[in-house]
Amino acid sequence: MNSFPKQLPGRQKGMAFLSITLVMLVAMTLMTAIGARVAVNSQRMAANSAHADRAFQVADAGVDTALAYMNYNREYVASTATNGWLHSGSSPKWVPCSSSDTAVPCGDGSVNLYGSDWLAYGPVPNLQQVDADFNNDIYLISDNIDDVPANQPWLTCMQILRTAAVDPDLLVRLNLIYNMLVAHGSPLQANLCFPLHFNTALTPPPPSSSNPTLRAVASARNTADARGGRAQVQQDLQTNSRFIRDPLAPLVVHGTPHLDGSIRIWGNPRPPSHPPYDWSILNLNDVAGLNVSSMLSAYLTANATTLASLLNMTETEALALNWNVTFPLAIWSDQSTAFSNSPANANFMNGARTCMPPFDNVANSSCLTLSYDNIAPGLMMRMPDVQDPVNTANTLANLVDSTAPVSFPNDLLDHLFGVPESQVAEIREDATVLSDCTGLSSKPGGFYWVTGNCAITGTVGSEADPLVLVTEGTVSMAGSSEFWGVMYMRGNSHREIEGSWSGLRPTIFGALMVGQTVHLYKNLNIVYNNDVIRRAGYRAGEFVRLPGGWTDEFSGP
């Protein structure tokens, strides 16, 4: 007998179907709810990510704003002048962090990061917010912005006077060299100068206060929504020098330098010593059959203790140095230097002269002269401190280092600033443009461009805060006035710079560069100062991002 399952009654079938349907509806409801929750969470995550990205972008934009702010105010960043950020009356100004300060930028909001050795500036004022929903705070922090400028380790000359109590045999031989150089017995009234000559030494780095390292600290916080995101970033900044190369001499002229009156120039006591800049180096290994270098070495060996003390070295270190006889580089030009308007047979030392470093002071600016002009009828003589086309000493066989001096640049503006004359507008727009030099003595170090005549009175710049000045007119310096920095005179016709017959001699500390023939009149000192030159270049330079100096995490030194 066949057996078949019994069919459920219709009511039971309906209940089973209803149960299954309810289970499916509950499952779908749960899936919908879960999906909605996931969607809401995804939306919140996306919103949070968008808020975070937006906050990050606002904070990072703050670094760009800080960089622009720094470059706009670069004259004041490290200045103690009026409105300078190191001036006691400025607001805001650099303020020391304290070891208990946990607020930004000295801390991260909970702990201190920088101790008490750093200074903070900010928040940077008067900035337009990059996003209306975000508050963008920007600070700066530095540990060397207020460093006292330290002089470069430029070693000056060891001077051995003709009348000094030195080894008589050495003195006789040195006199023989002098006599040979200056027309068979005419004495050269100057000291011999024996500076250290480092064949492979490069220019030392600038003082930290000239090239300060700053850290920009930027934060962004959404003010419209407490959950709208916040971010913090920091970027290290550093200055670039305005110069692509520093002036090598106190007077550099693309044309004829006319030194009329009592012009005195103290040269670069240590010209660059790596090719092709081996200038002013006398080759004294074999002069008239005398090995002067060996005699000098013997003299130094006999006086090693004194030498080591003078140089702050051990005797072994001092005797291991490579010594040469050199002259300070005073004038570099592509045309012959005209020292004075005196009679043909006159000695130019009666007026303009180049001088043996070191410079004494403004009040007593006497000097021991180096170069001669017309020292005897028909004889033109220049020592290697003057690099021009008729530098006779450079043509004397076996006397001067055989390394050919670098060719004089065709474009002096490009040589100094890296911008050719044809594009002069590019560099001028970076400078503070003035019609004259009125009030220049009250301005901080930086980059200035004077379109008219420049009358300098008082003290312009300082050793710690020098400036770069481009002039397009004549320049005059009143008695006892001082200029600290690098002055560049440009124009299509000859330039004029005039000192003073009365009062203390005015002085340029640093370097003077002229793009055309120049006439220098009356009493005027030009004193080469490498430290001032380096500081002036950085004071006039621009702030840039330091590669590898960005992070989105607050951290200390």
Side-chain angles (χ1 to χ4, degrees), residues 14-30:
M15 289 296 293
F17 181 77
L18 179 60
S19 298
I20 294 172
T21 301
L22 288 174
V23 171
M24 293 180 65
L25 286 174
V26 171
M28 292 177 64
T29 300
L30 290 174

Side-chain angles (χ1 to χ4, degrees), residues 40-65:
V40 170
N41 287 339
S42 296
Q43 187 177 28
R44 286 180 177 175
M45 291 173 63
N48 289 339
S49 179
H51 287 317
D53 288 344
R54 190 175 168 194
F56 173 80
Q57 291 170 2
V58 172
D60 200 44
V63 172
D64 291 329
T65 302

Side-chain angles (χ1 to χ4, degrees), residues 481-509:
S481 61
E482 297 179 1
F483 174 86
W484 293 83
V486 175
M487 185 185 300
Y488 186 96
M489 303 178 69
R490 67 174 296 271
N492 296 323
S493 59
H494 75 272
R495 304 288 88 192
E496 294 183 0
I497 178 168
E498 184 175 345
S500 174
W501 285 130
S502 60
L504 301 179
R505 299 171 63 91
T507 303
I508 295 175
F509 294 96

Side-chain angles (χ1 to χ4, degrees), residues 441-456:
S441 59
S442 63
K443 295 186 179 297
F447 188 23
Y448 298 91
W449 197 289
V450 177
T451 58
N453 295 333
C454 176
I456 293 177

Side-chain angles (χ1 to χ4, degrees), residues 133-196:
D133 291 339
F134 283 83
N135 183 34
N136 192 195
D137 288 328
I138 304 169
Y139 296 87
L140 299 164
I141 194 162
S142 175
D143 69 337
N144 61 4
I145 198 68
D146 64 339
D147 282 359
V148 176
N151 289 332
Q152 293 288 349
W154 293 98
L155 299 175
T156 57
C157 301
M158 286 187 62
Q159 297 180 4
I160 301 179
L161 283 168
R162 286 160 47 92
T163 57
V166 298
D167 182 276
D169 189 49
L170 174 65
L171 186 59
V172 169
R173 285 158 179 75
L174 295 179
N175 280 330
L176 288 175
I177 297 168
Y178 263 173
N179 293 339
M180 182 177 178
L181 290 177
V182 291
H184 308 292
S186 298
L188 178 62
Q189 301 301 316
N191 291 356
L192 271 180
C193 182
F194 299 97
L196 298 177

Side-chain angles (χ1 to χ4, degrees), residues 244-316:
I244 62 169
R245 55 178 63 85
D246 294 338
L248 298 178
L251 179 60
V252 182
V253 181
H254 191 352
T256 300
H258 290 271
L259 279 63
D260 299 323
S262 183
I263 309 298
R264 298 176 182 177
I265 302 174
W266 279 260
N268 179 356
R270 188 186 152 198
S273 57
H274 47 284
Y277 300 103
D278 280 330
W279 294 356
S280 303
I281 306 300
L282 284 183
N283 196 351
L284 297 181
N285 287 327
D286 187 9
V287 178
L290 301 174
N291 192 320
V292 181
S293 293
S294 295
M295 290 186 291
L296 178 60
S297 177
Y299 174 77
L300 295 175
T301 300
N303 295 273
T305 302
T306 302
L307 175 66
S309 176
L310 288 173
L311 299 177
N312 195 25
M313 296 178 175
T314 66
E315 293 184 19
T316 302

